Amino acid sequence: MLPREFELIARHFAPLAGQGSLGLADDAAILAPPAGRDLVLTADATVEGVHFLASDPPDTVARKLLRVNLSDLAAMGATPLGYLLTVSVPRDTMPGWFALFAQGLAQDQEEFGLHLLGGDTTSTPGPKSLTATLIGHVAPGQALRREGARPGDGLWVTGTIGDAALGLQVLQGKREDPTGFLASRYRVPQPRLGLGLHGIASACMDISDGLLQDSMHLCRASNCALTVDFAAIPLSAAARAANDPAAILSGGDDYELLLSVPQANEPAFLAAAANVPVTRIGRFAHGKPDVTLANPPGAPFQANLSGWSHF
Ligand SMILES: [Mg+2]
């Protein structure tokens, strides 16, 4: 039976609350924005069976919920501040699930420097549904946007691509993963916060729906053509061994950054990203928004720009 809501909040969520939350005891939170900063807001919902598996540990479900939102803040060049949390779970959810879920939240609050401001907890006849609304901040006019790529700019990615899509296949029993690396990349993505790319990157977004589809989003927002070199896409050893072009090009859940960088800014970019692996995988050009794949994988794979879509 679901512990009573007040008891649940006091026990598991109040310890996560920070400045502005009023101890989760009032009707709403009061947030004083940092002086001279713009607020940056983002929300992501995760649903059991759609975004995470019933077998995923509750602490990693919590961490992924924060991290997919933190990745959006990273894509905007923002610094995290706090978040609102809405938890809808079946009545028979065990207290132990809440304890582990809150433990995961606490771990990543500590790691990324944010705290709980408020939210809501309800029961639902459907699967678990967890929504976080993150609040970050940025200097006015310094947010990174998707619209600034120009012909000649390089297309760059952080980290490695395709691991999370392969990790999902592992958790679905479709693939081997002796080290657990791929599954961990699916369950706990790494948001690339704090790179300081204002004035260096001309456009930025995070890769959530697949490399090709998200590249197309940058093309459209910036009104440029783009060539992506399949052979240049950075792969982990596990992804290279898996040899699955569809997972690399159209798999979702990478939560790496996809950036355009003018050639003149490359030294500054490499200096700013000194602690994160970055790889140039393409170049923007004059032309209608379109993605061309250079050095494509052999048949039978067909380049698919649609990637992942819910509808
Ligand atoms: Mg995003």
Side-chain angles (χ1 to χ4, degrees):
M1 147 179 180
L2 189 70
R4 281 189 307 200
E5 186 180 352
F6 297 125
E7 188 188 317
L8 200 83
I9 291 169
R11 180 145 180 200
H12 299 297
F13 296 128
L16 303 172
Q19 192 174 18
S21 69
L22 310 177
L24 307 181
D26 226 300
D27 294 289
I30 302 172
L31 180 66
R37 305 281 285 185
D38 284 350
L39 294 180
V40 180
L41 310 173
T42 184
D44 259 304
T46 62
V47 177
E48 185 178 273
V50 181
H51 304 91
F52 65 94
L53 304 170
S55 56
D56 284 337
D59 58 327
T60 68
V61 171
R63 296 173 74 197
K64 185 167 183 176
L65 175 63
L66 288 183
R67 285 166 182 244
V68 300
N69 281 284
L70 287 164
S71 181
D72 279 328
L73 291 184
M76 301 296 288
T79 303
L81 187 60
Y83 67 103
L84 301 168
L85 176 69
T86 305
V87 175
S88 298
V89 295
R91 280 184 186 282
D92 61 359
T93 301
M94 304 298 282
W97 186 89
F98 287 96
L100 279 173
F101 182 74
Q103 188 182 308
L105 294 174
Q107 183 177 347
D108 275 359
Q109 285 189 197
E110 177 79 22
E111 178 161 350
F112 296 106
L114 73 169
H115 60 261
L116 182 62
L117 288 163
D120 196 15
T121 309
T122 71
S123 65
T124 171
K128 291 187 181 76
S129 172
L130 312 161
T131 302
T133 302
L134 262 69
I135 301 163
H137 58 92
V138 68
Q142 295 198 1
L144 303 173
R145 302 283 309 277
R146 295 182 179 188
E147 65 185 14
R150 293 293 170 261
D153 290 358
L155 179 76
W156 293 73
V157 290
T158 59
T160 54
I161 301 302
D163 300 324
L166 294 168
L168 176 59
Q169 293 178 14
V170 169
L171 295 170
Q172 291 169 335
K174 298 175 185 168
R175 185 178 286 286
E176 298 289 304
D177 184 26
T179 66
F181 170 81
L182 296 172
S184 76
R185 289 276 284 162
Y186 173 75
R187 283 176 167 162
V188 186
Q190 183 61 50
R192 303 297 187 178
L193 287 156
L195 296 185
L197 297 175
H198 170 69
I200 296 174
S202 51
C204 184
M205 66 180 295
D206 70 330
I207 306 170
S208 54
D209 297 335
L211 177 63
L212 283 186
Q213 176 170 297
D214 286 333
S215 295
M216 193 66 199
H217 288 317
L218 274 193
C219 283
R220 286 208 185 94
S222 297
N223 197 28
C224 289
L226 173 65
T227 299
V228 173
D229 181 359
F230 179 72
I233 298 169
L235 303 179
S236 65
R240 189 166 294 112
N243 189 26
D244 183 338
I248 295 159
L249 292 169
S250 302
D253 270 345
D254 285 316
Y255 300 104
E256 296 291 350
L257 294 182
L258 185 66
L259 310 118
S260 65
V261 180
Q263 272 177 288
N265 293 351
E266 284 185 6
F269 174 63
L270 293 172
N275 296 319
V276 174
V278 292
T279 308
R280 189 177 59 225
I281 62 165
R283 196 165 294 285
F284 290 88
H286 289 281
K288 279 191 295 194
D290 194 20
V291 177
T292 303
L293 197 60
N295 298 311
F301 177 77
Q302 295 288 311
N304 169 20
L305 283 179
S306 61
W308 169 254
S309 172
H310 281 277
F311 303 103

